[in-house]
Amino acid sequence: MAISDCYRGWLCVLMMVLGLASAQLTSNFYDKSCPQAPSIIKSAVLSAVYKEHRMGASLLRLHFHDCFVNGCDASVLLDDTSSFTGEKTAAANTNSLRGFEVIDDIKSKLEAACPGVVSCADIVAVAARDSVVSLGGPTWEVELGRRDSTTASKDGATQDIPSPLMDLPALIKSFSNKGFTTKEMVTLSGAHTTGQARCLLFRGRVYNETTIDTDFATSAKSKCPSLGNDDNLSPLDVTTNVVFDNAYYKNLVNKKGLLHSDQQLFSGGSTDSQVTTYSTNSAAFFQDFATAMVKMGNLSPLTGSSGQIRTNCRKVN
């Protein structure tokens, strides 16, 4: 229907609203409204990762945990309120999800440069990409235009975020529920080529499982006693923990996956061949990871007139 056909004012307004609500993400969303946004985010991420290399993994994980719960809407950043319990205290996030202060810093810089323009959800998405690049990983074009949620769900985080204790069928189902193929699940799991995990999450594997390299298990036990010290950390990638590369898959082939869910990807099941491919072909992993991250960033974003642009990423306007 052409604009000239809108013979009733309310119909024209309705069409405009529907058009806004169905707006799509674009790579050039801020080119005119805040052209300095990419450089502001990149500079802050590089600074944060330089100060603490682990922060790169933390910012990447923040994006995963945001998108897997009601889409990429920055709901994971919201503090609890009287009307809802946020996602920060869900089992998958409490005492482990990090990087909130870095996002706060980026947001304050963007608000000074372009007030009320750049969403927290877009900041998280771009920061994840810039973190991977800063650690030597692949780059990808982040599509932008997300808006921020006005609520959060602890139950959603509890139900939707994959557990490090999952067997392969459960992992496949968890990712399939978000529209990812089994191959994409293996690809995205490669994010564990950087970062660390708490003793609480890998104790059962290093003490009880047989599909584990003996020397690797002994080393992990030295950082994780059978009782206590639940928050002691150990690298997810024992060989090149800081660098974003394909060593994660090489480790799996050698039975050196730290988490139960990691080693499940190479344990005589349907994903063994994909792990083997990535273990010998880093270019294939990088290409597939970049593609999968673009897909993840497009999980149910709020766009157009939905949601809001939060002034403070921790609370609703």
Side-chain angles (χ1 to χ4, degrees), residues 84-286:
F84 66 80
T85 301
E87 298 161 24
K88 291 180 178 179
T89 55
N93 298 331
T94 188
N95 297 323
S96 67
L97 207 59
R98 309 167 71 246
F100 299 111
E101 295 80 7
V102 176
I103 301 300
D104 290 339
D105 176 58
I106 296 171
K107 182 60 175 174
S108 65
K109 287 180 169 65
L110 288 170
E111 284 299 304
C114 319
V117 174
V118 183
S119 70
C120 300
D122 278 347
I123 293 173
V124 172
V126 176
R129 188 272 313 275
D130 291 348
S131 291
V132 170
V133 174
S134 75
L135 297 176
T139 188
W140 58 91
E141 192 169 67
V142 179
E143 297 182 330
L144 303 165
R146 299 170 190 80
R147 289 169 66 85
D148 301 323
S149 68
T150 56
T151 188
S153 172
K154 179 180 179 180
D155 289 343
T158 300
Q159 296 166 7
D160 293 349
I161 296 174
S163 164
L165 307 179
M166 281 182 171
D167 291 333
L168 183 59
L171 287 169
I172 292 173
K173 185 176 187 300
S174 179
F175 278 78
S176 176
N177 289 341
K178 299 299 176 182
F180 292 108
T181 65
T182 299
K183 178 183 177 181
E184 288 168 334
M185 181 272 290
V186 175
T187 303
L188 290 172
S189 295
H192 284 181
T193 190
T194 183
Q196 302 185 68
R198 298 161 63 213
C199 167
L200 176 68
L201 300 178
F202 64 84
R203 177 182 285 123
R205 168 155 165 74
V206 300
Y207 281 96
N208 302 321
E209 296 185 14
T210 56
T211 57
I212 189 168
D213 177 82
T214 304
D215 291 339
F216 173 68
T218 300
S219 176
K221 288 176 183 177
S222 69
K223 302 176 183 178
C224 182
S226 57
L227 293 173
N229 294 300
D230 288 353
D231 292 332
N232 281 7
L233 298 172
S234 190
L236 288 161
D237 173 357
V238 70
T239 51
T240 56
N241 179 50
V242 172
V243 181
F244 193 100
D245 55 18
N246 68 331
Y248 168 78
Y249 299 102
K250 296 179 181 178
N251 293 335
L252 297 186
V253 171
N254 293 315
K255 299 182 179 180
K256 294 181 180 180
L258 184 65
L259 302 176
H260 176 79
S261 59
D262 288 329
Q263 196 60 54
Q264 280 290 294
L265 303 185
F266 192 85
S267 57
S270 62
T271 55
D272 282 16
S273 61
Q274 192 60 47
V275 170
T276 301
T277 296
Y278 286 156
S279 73
T280 58
N281 191 337
S282 61
F285 166 51
F286 275 24

